[in-house]
Amino acid sequence: MTDYAVDEDEVRHVAALARLGLAEGEAAEFAGQFADILEYFEALDEVPEVDAEPELTNVLRPDEVDEGLTQEEALQNAPETEDGRFKGPRVS
Amino acid sequence: MSTQASAERADLAVVIGLEVHVQLETDTKIFCGCSTTAKEDEAPNSRTCPVCLGLPGALPAVNEAAVEAAVRVGKALDAEIAPETRFHRKNYFYPDLPKNFQISQYDAPICRDGSIEVSVEGERREVVIRRAHLEEDPGSIVHAGGSIDTADYTLVDYNRAGTPLMEIVTEPDFRSPDETRAFLAKLEEVLEYLSIFDGGRDGSLRIDANVSLVPATEVADDGTIDKETLAAANRTEVKNISSHKGAEKALAYEVTRQRNAIKRGRAIDQETRHWDESRGITVSMRAKEEEKDYRYFDEADIPPLQVADWRERLSIPELPDARRERFREEYGLDNEAAAKLTSTKQVADFYEDVAGEFDPGLAATWVADVLLGELNYRDMGVADVADRLGEVVTLIRLVDKEEITRKNAEEQVLRSMLDEGVDPETVIEREGLGTADEDEVVVAVREAIDANPGAVADYHDGEDGALNYLVGQVMGATGGTADPGTVNERLRATLAEANEG
């Protein structure tokens, strides 16, 4: 086991939360990749500080109905549908 | 119950805290312009857009009306409106949320530190509201081909996804399932008064409850329990409760289940349980994510809100407790009538309309006893006859003008109005219920005297019952349309004349 910031157990845990199956050896592979990715982000430490832009507040929308999608449009990218609903594997 | 059993029972105190999800009545969803109004028999996935379907690149924008509703709730719960409040992403993977996260509020809820006063068996208790925050409702899932455990596949409809919800979290202040029912009924009442909640809507109220038992010796005299004791007790979270009556049943079951387990020397597992309403039991659910697994972080697409000053700007109507008190003072009503007449805002508004035109006592009898009684008998409420209240006022007016007797108005006209959907004049005309005119009464009185010489003789001999008997005869002859007081007077006068003559 290496001392990566994101270790294999953490990769497995997050994969389980996301309901992803990992193949043999993938946890180790991804833990290594995470270390690389985090290293790239360290480049940000070199960036000089600038004044933050003032944050927006209270960006609100009036309570008025907009036209949305039709059922056909809503479902057009779904791999499977049934009776106008998105169809997927069983979940518990 | 043996002495030992009752001692064990007394040795454990019930601790319950609630998370109540309330659907806010707005026209559109919380982060997009899709309608929140479900049309009858609407098609699934017919009220969606890129935002509530979680399509890439869609930008959520907060519905002003949802924020206003939240501020009003905060005001009604006597809560603080945070100077700055923001939204967060709560990450979990379940198909009811197409984005794989729910937009909610984590450590910056819009309302904090409120309270609500409830009355439990005549005793007033304060329930502390820890926080209340805004979030989006998920979509609806159908587990096709079986129950949640045995389904073959899943079907999803996102029409409900994005409906504004307010989650109201209490401190673990409840010491019995009874108290939770009283609290929830009160909360519903307050929310309905604010006109931001429709209790009749399916799924408008959803409740999760945390339940644990602690040694009764840990409860202080003022009813509080220290934090370490609470943290040490294993608790279960009961989900899928959808009404205040359901809450009482589900929690009574869960308390008994825990009590029995402890009595048998078993530990309570810290777990999530599902209330199965049809079977009347709670069942263990899959292990749920822990809070840290939600990996909450800021929703960068939604700038923070600064709406503390809306608390002053937005008004709320007189709330049920205050209105009840005013009804007692202003209209001289007793506790029971005042409580009935303020049970919903609609009833209270209607009562005030009627009390403005007629004697407040008569108005109270008509609205609280007669109308609500007849509606209740038909499993209806004032909301079901909202468009016909004018007809009820017409009927009361006819009674007030003595154009129909009160008995006929209550027992025939109102019932026909409710059962057949016809207006009062139609019923009165059809059944010939208009008050008997004077000539009719005179004729009936004369006939009753002629036909009952025995009763007349008894009356002159001073027998009390005789007059009542004769009144009954006249009422019968006029089909109940005569005013009993007038008949009484007319009989006495006619009998007196006959005696002299």
Side-chain angles (χ1 to χ4, degrees), chain A residues 13 17-19 56-58 60-61 63-66 68-69 71 74 82-92, chain B residues 27-29 32-33 44-45 48 61-65 93 149 151 153-156 158 286 289 293 303-306:
Chain A
H13 178 61
L17 290 175
R19 296 161 193 267
L56 293 167
T57 52
N58 296 6
L60 295 161
R61 176 180 64 76
D63 188 20
E64 286 160 13
V65 177
D66 291 334
L69 302 173
Q71 185 195 70
E82 186 175 305
D83 300 333
R85 295 181 174 86
F86 293 87
K87 183 175 179 181
R90 143 176 123 88
V91 289
S92 61
Chain B
D27 291 340
T28 65
K29 295 183 178 181
C32 62
N45 296 301
T48 67
V62 182
N63 180 350
E64 182 170 21
F93 289 73
D149 300 320
Y153 54 93
T154 305
L155 295 175
V156 196
Y158 291 113
R286 73 182 164 97
E289 283 91 347
D293 291 336
L305 299 173
Q306 294 177 353

Side-chain angles (χ1 to χ4, degrees), chain B residues 28 91 98 126 135 156 158 171 208 218 257 289 322 335 354 401 437 447 452:
Chain B
T28 65
N91 297 280
E126 188 185 62
E135 63 186 28
V156 196
Y158 291 113
E171 291 294 340
D208 300 338
E218 300 290 337
R257 189 191 69 83
E289 283 91 347
N335 286 346
V354 178
K401 286 199 235 152
D437 60 30
E447 283 174 0
N452 298 285

Side-chain angles (χ1 to χ4, degrees), chain B residues 207-218:
Chain B
I207 302 141
D208 300 338
N210 288 298
V211 186
S212 59
L213 297 177
V214 300
T217 47
E218 300 290 337

